[in-house]
């Protein structure tokens, strides 16, 4: 099972002690502003179980993140395969959600760089995508810092989001470049 280390972070499998801080993060209306609703404890329990199983089955996924040497859970960063159909699926996305008191430190970008490198170098992906609501400027800035690019022609209505201001999503793409591996590999068969 893969753990990723960056200069400041450890991306690792989920632990039971992550649950309470993740419940608090998912109940924070500011952190969840670009989602249709905050999550209940039960929904968070389900999300942790799913993330845990994906990492166990595939060796990669949406990893729990802690600051190295601290041990405290600060959120998640990682790779997942969207489970809905859209013009860009099947695909592998890079995603993130951090506790609000950890924003503004570069942690999401740092963790995501490691996840993207893993996706290209270890999984052999040809492309990694990311998407969010049009108004989620913080998340879009992470995508831009990763070198991802946005084409308005890729924008889409998220099929799991009810009609309204949150439904329209921007899609960012990052092709693999300069990798010695074979170009054009498909996303891995094991879907997250
Ligand atoms: C999206 C989210 C992870 C972005 O968090 P963030 O803190 O803005 O992003 P980073 O961790 O990459 O930090 C970057 C910021 O830290 C600053 N920073 C401070 N110290 C830094 C350092 N040592 N290294 C790098 N950046 C640093 C950067 O200047 C940047 O600030 P700016 O955007 O104001 O210029 C966070 O807002 C979040 O969890 N939101 C809720 C969930 C969500 O919307 N997820 C995405 C849904 S698709």
């Amino acid at each position: 099972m893969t753990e990723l280390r960056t200069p400041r972070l450890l991306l690792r499998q989920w632990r039971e002690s992550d649950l309470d801080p993740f419940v608090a993060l998912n109940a924070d209306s500011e952190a969840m502003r670009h989602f249709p609703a905050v999550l209940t404890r039960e929904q968070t329990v389900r999300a942790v179980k799913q993330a845990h199983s994906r990492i166990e089955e595939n060796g990669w996924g949406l990893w729990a993140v802690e600051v190295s040497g601290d041990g405290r859970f600060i959120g998640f960063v990682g790779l997942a395969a969207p489970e809905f159909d859209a013009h860009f699926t099947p695909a592998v996305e890079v995603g993130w959600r951090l506790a609000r008191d950890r924003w503004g430190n570069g942690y999401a970008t740092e963790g995501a760089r490691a996840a993207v490198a893993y996706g290209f170098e270890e999984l052999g992906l040809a492309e990694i995508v990311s998407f969010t609501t049009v108004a989620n400027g913080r998340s879009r800035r992470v995508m831009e810092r990763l070198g991802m690019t946005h084409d308005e022609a890729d924008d889409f209505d998220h099929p799991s989001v009810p009609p309204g201001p949150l439904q329209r999503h921007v899609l960012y793409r990052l092709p693999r470049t300069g990798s010695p591996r074979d170009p054009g590999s498909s996303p891995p068969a094991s879907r997250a």
Side-chain angles (χ1 to χ4, degrees):
M1 191 177 314
T2 306
E3 288 190 344
L4 302 181
R5 283 189 185 275
T6 73
R8 296 182 296 172
L9 304 173
L10 171 63
L11 278 60
R12 56 155 174 82
Q13 179 56 291
W14 293 75
R15 295 184 191 138
E16 200 144 339
S17 56
D18 300 332
L19 183 60
D20 284 344
F22 195 37
V23 167
L25 163 50
N26 287 336
D28 176 356
S29 56
E30 181 56 27
M32 297 302 282
R33 192 166 144 197
H34 299 283
F35 296 86
V38 296
L39 300 188
T40 63
R41 186 176 188 87
E42 290 65 35
Q43 288 170 317
T44 297
V45 168
R46 278 203 295 279
V48 170
K49 277 189 185 151
Q50 189 182 48
H52 187 281
S53 329
R54 295 287 194 256
I55 293 172
E56 201 157 79
E57 288 158 17
N58 301 336
W60 57 274
L62 298 174
W63 287 280
V65 178
E66 63 182 53
V67 177
S68 302
D70 168 320
R72 279 179 48 214
F73 169 88
I74 65 164
F76 72 76
V77 173
L79 302 172
E83 289 179 350
F84 57 86
D85 288 325
H87 69 87
F88 58 92
T89 61
V92 172
E93 64 161 319
V94 57
W96 37 74
R97 191 181 306 159
L98 298 183
R100 206 162 10 132
D101 62 354
R102 303 304 189 123
W103 295 3
N105 292 292
Y107 291 147
T109 305
E110 184 171 319
R113 279 204 180 104
V116 161
Y118 180 83
F120 287 141
E121 289 160 23
E122 302 300 325
L123 301 179
L125 301 174
E127 180 184 66
I128 293 175
V129 302
S130 195
F131 49 84
T132 189
T133 56
V134 174
N136 193 347
R138 275 190 172 269
S139 196
R140 293 180 67 162
R141 285 203 294 280
V142 176
M143 295 170 197
E144 283 155 16
R145 282 191 291 268
L146 292 173
M148 307 186 94
T149 54
H150 168 233
D151 179 347
E152 268 180 36
D154 273 331
D155 291 358
F156 67 105
D157 289 330
H158 197 303
S160 313
V161 177
L166 298 180
Q167 194 181 36
R168 196 75 183 152
H169 276 57
V170 285
L171 179 81
Y172 282 71
R173 296 179 185 266
L174 185 65
R176 180 178 51 184
T177 51
S179 164
R181 301 253 178 141
D182 293 343
S185 312
S186 303
S190 44
R191 299 197 33 151

